[in-house]
Amino acid sequence: MIALRRIACKCLMLILLSALPVKEGFSYESHHYFGGHPVSLSLKTQVHPCGKIRAQLYATTHALEAPIGDPVSSDCSRPLRIGLPEVRVKTEFNLEIESLTEKGWVTSGNIPLQVYPQQLLASLRDWAQENDLVVADSDGKLEQFLEKQNIPFVPNHRKRLEPPAVHISAGEGEIFFMEKSEGVPRIFVKEKKVLIEMPFLDRLAIDPSFQYEFVRMFQEIL
């Protein structure tokens, strides 16, 4: 059991670190979006020379790719608008880009897209409606997020935390956020306790990959 917990800790740390912001790229950076609506991607700095382009969205499953919708044509000086399908679980897509040259259409690169269900927080919301989710929040960031997402919680104003920090009690489990901005981002899982040492809450409201990991933390402790 101890060995399994150690494995779970390592896996969760690696998954979370992969969701951290990275330097803007083209062929290797994963972009994280909610499904069911279009997104705009700027390709001006990635395609040379910047001219006419077309893009095809593919669903990827192991070694297979299946096209989704029709190719989208544009001028790379303008953002490329791509419609993303709704998904039930986290799903990987690949956006393949071609540019028009004197020799015809040539591959310019690809953009991996991680797409998430819009109701990503539904399971946590359902649990909190039937159970006590107790939150001590030094700066109120998580409280504001939970209120906006209609997730019930019980504020704990008696617990004193050195800001910026958040402590969550859920059933027999605990999650403790230490919003440090220096050093190596770390996350620890031990039995029914999760400790996060990294800036997290500012990204939680805008980045579906952080919401995905937030839900996973509760899966570890409940």
Side-chain angles (χ1 to χ4, degrees):
M1 180 63 70
I2 295 177
L4 290 176
R5 285 292 178 185
R6 289 176 178 172
I7 294 172
C9 177
K10 291 180 180 179
C11 291
L12 187 56
M13 180 183 290
L14 290 174
I15 291 171
L16 186 55
L17 292 181
S18 70
L20 296 178
V22 295
K23 185 177 180 181
E24 191 70 23
F26 182 54
S27 295
Y28 303 104
E29 178 189 359
S30 286
H31 296 252
H32 301 267
Y33 302 103
F34 286 110
H37 57 80
V39 298
S40 295
L41 299 172
S42 177
L43 305 179
K44 186 174 181 180
T45 59
Q46 287 88 3
V47 178
H48 300 283
C50 181
K52 188 173 181 59
I53 60 172
R54 65 185 181 190
Q56 176 65 59
L57 186 66
Y58 290 90
T60 61
T61 56
H62 303 292
L64 301 177
E65 287 191 338
I68 304 295
D70 297 323
V72 177
S73 298
S74 181
D75 182 334
C76 76
S77 63
R78 297 174 295 174
L80 184 67
R81 192 169 176 84
I82 296 293
L84 298 179
E86 292 187 8
V87 296
R88 290 189 174 184
V89 297
K90 177 183 175 182
T91 305
E92 180 178 349
F93 292 89
N94 189 43
L95 185 65
E96 294 191 1
I97 310 296
E98 293 181 315
S99 56
L100 184 60
T101 69
E102 295 178 352
K103 298 180 180 180
W105 291 100
V106 298
T107 301
S108 297
N110 65 86
I111 303 177
L113 306 177
Q114 303 293 335
V115 181
Y116 301 79
Q118 294 186 23
Q119 298 301 319
L120 189 58
L121 300 169
S123 59
L124 177 57
R125 185 181 300 108
D126 292 342
W127 183 91
Q129 289 174 349
E130 302 293 334
N131 302 272
D132 287 339
L133 179 63
V134 183
V135 177
D137 189 347
S138 66
D139 294 343
K141 291 182 179 180
L142 182 60
E143 291 182 345
Q144 293 177 9
F145 173 77
L146 295 175
E147 288 174 352
K148 187 175 181 179
Q149 297 294 331
N150 296 317
I151 298 176
F153 69 95
V154 179
N156 182 359
H157 298 302
R158 293 182 296 177
K159 190 176 185 65
R160 301 299 179 183
L161 300 173
E162 182 178 350
V166 173
H167 180 264
I168 298 174
S169 297
E172 298 179 358
E174 296 178 277
I175 303 175
F176 185 48
F177 292 90
M178 297 179 64
E179 295 282 285
K180 293 183 177 180
S181 58
E182 299 179 357
V184 178
R186 296 183 296 178
I187 179 169
F188 303 95
V189 179
K190 183 178 180 180
E191 297 178 348
K192 289 186 174 293
K193 295 183 179 180
V194 180
L195 170 63
I196 302 98
E197 295 182 349
M198 58 174 288
F200 189 93
L201 299 178
D202 285 336
R203 294 291 300 273
L204 185 58
I206 60 174
D207 193 325
S209 66
F210 277 65
Q211 293 185 23
Y212 179 81
E213 299 304 332
F214 186 61
V215 173
R216 282 173 55 83
M217 293 174 194
F218 283 92
Q219 294 173 347
E220 290 288 329
I221 66 172
L222 294 178

